[in-house]
Amino acid sequence: MNPEALAAFDLTGRVAVVTGAASGIGRASAELLGAAGAAVLCADLDLDGAQSTAAQLAEAGTRALARRVDVTGAGELDALVDAAVTDLGRLDVMANVAGIILQAPVVDFDDDAFDRIMAVNLTGVFRGCRAAARVMSAQGSGSIVNMASAAIDTPSPGLAGYGMAKAAVVQLTRVLATEMGPLGVRVNAVAPGFVETAMTSRRFVSTDGTVDEAHRQAVLDAVARSTPLRMVGRPEDIAHAVLYLASDASRFVTGQIVRPNGGVAMPW
Ligand SMILES: NC(=O)c1ccc[n+]([C@@H]2O[C@H](COP(=O)([O-])OP(=O)(O)OC[C@H]3O[C@@H](n4cnc5c(N)ncnc54)[C@H](O)[C@@H]3O)[C@@H](O)[C@H]2O)c1
């Protein structure tokens, strides 16, 4: 294989910030961006988890730092981006991955739950985009990657708050792409299908960590059966899309939604 052909995926000399880096898709994305050569600031509400990801990256030879961030906190994302610039020198990739899921039928969805899911999944992404866009536009380069969901394509009972927030993240992505394109900054989103992570395992993992294996297999089989590729996703499947969008491999791509979803939704 000609290594030059893969140079567009090389992030050597670049700096990436990943929110939600303690777990699941964020952790896999931080690890892959680091493996591609980026220095990585691993950010999460769960500082221990973010530190564990950063330690794993450092062990693999990547420059990595950890920082606690609550994406719902005013000013926290500005401070996070400032930390990347101060401690790692610049900001090339902002991956807004942190998210939560809260499910209830609309008639039972209480105000606190609605406010919470919007604060984390929408306001947090907006503030992450805004903070990164300010630095990147001044720099004249950069890539922002936002985490949406297959819930933007397929309405499911219980997912009104989650789906609304993710759909709004898509429109934020598209509007910001039009604003930032002329300034050399690309903005895209990833809309994954079902991936087995802490977020999706709660129904078969009890609080003490015990896995109800029969329930787990039943859930995974049901998801796989309803997916054209007959499989559930792994965090790495989504991280590959994040790397593509973060790197020069996607230099001609902005305002787009990449769908690693096993084929559950196939919009034009
Ligand atoms: N797992 C799936 O099937 C799936 C599918 C589509 C989209 N997604 C999206 O992918 C993203 C990652 O999900 P995951 O499945 O890896 O879940 P996860 O629960 O494994 O990871 C989410 C991370 O976000 C962090 N987080 C939560 N609230 C935060 C806050 N206020 N500030 C900072 N960090 C916070 C958590 O501590 C956690 O480490 C989410 O945006 C989710 O909506 C997941």
Side-chain angles (χ1 to χ4, degrees):
M1 191 191 296
N2 173 8
E4 290 295 309
L6 291 173
F9 290 96
D10 186 2
L11 296 178
T12 303
R14 311 266 172 99
V15 171
V17 170
V18 180
T19 70
S23 175
I25 292 168
R27 182 172 180 128
S29 300
E31 288 177 0
L32 190 63
L33 296 174
V40 185
L41 178 50
C42 303
D44 205 290
L45 192 56
D46 169 8
L47 179 59
D48 287 347
Q51 281 170 334
S52 150
T53 306
Q56 172 117 359
L57 278 162
E59 210 169 290
T62 295
R63 189 160 179 224
L65 299 173
R67 189 180 162 100
R68 184 187 183 279
V69 71
D70 180 349
V71 299
T72 68
E76 293 224 10
L77 285 146
D78 297 305
L80 178 67
V81 161
D82 284 351
V85 174
T86 305
D87 299 337
L88 296 171
R90 49 190 287 119
L91 179 68
D92 300 289
V93 178
M94 180 77 187
N96 292 302
V97 182
I100 57 169
I101 196 162
L102 300 170
Q103 303 190 56
V106 171
V107 291
D108 297 328
F109 219 107
D110 66 51
D111 286 348
D112 287 348
F114 185 79
D115 290 348
R116 180 78 193 150
I117 202 157
M118 289 296 160
V120 178
N121 291 6
L122 177 56
T123 311
V125 175
F126 173 79
R127 288 179 176 158
C129 281
R130 185 177 61 189
R134 284 175 177 160
V135 171
M136 290 173 175
S137 56
Q139 189 176 272
S141 67
S143 172
I144 298 173
V145 183
N146 295 327
M147 204 50 60
S149 162
I152 63 170
D153 296 315
T154 311
S156 306
L159 288 187
Y162 185 80
M164 288 166 70
K166 295 297 189 181
V169 163
V170 166
Q171 195 63 351
L172 162 66
T173 299
R174 288 150 39 125
V175 170
L176 189 59
T178 65
E179 293 175 0
M180 287 292 122
L183 304 172
V185 179
R186 297 182 301 104
V187 191
N188 292 286
V190 181
F194 185 100
V195 179
E196 190 182 2
T197 64
M199 176 182 283
T200 49
S201 303
R202 280 194 191 102
R203 58 192 124 163
F204 47 78
V205 179
S206 49
T207 39
D208 67 2
T210 316
V211 179
D212 178 341
E213 199 48 52
H215 188 189
R216 171 175 177 264
Q217 218 43 64
V219 169
L220 299 187
D221 287 350
V223 173
R225 267 197 310 277
S226 63
T227 304
L229 283 178
R230 296 287 186 269
M231 59 169 88
V232 298
R234 298 183 184 141
E236 308 86 81
D237 295 321
I238 316 310
H240 289 135
V242 172
L243 172 60
Y244 166 66
L245 293 173
S247 70
D248 293 347
S250 60
R251 65 185 284 273
F252 196 41
V253 177
T254 200
Q256 304 302 311
I257 315 306
V258 175
R259 290 177 164 86
N261 65 10
V264 285
M266 304 181 187
W268 287 93

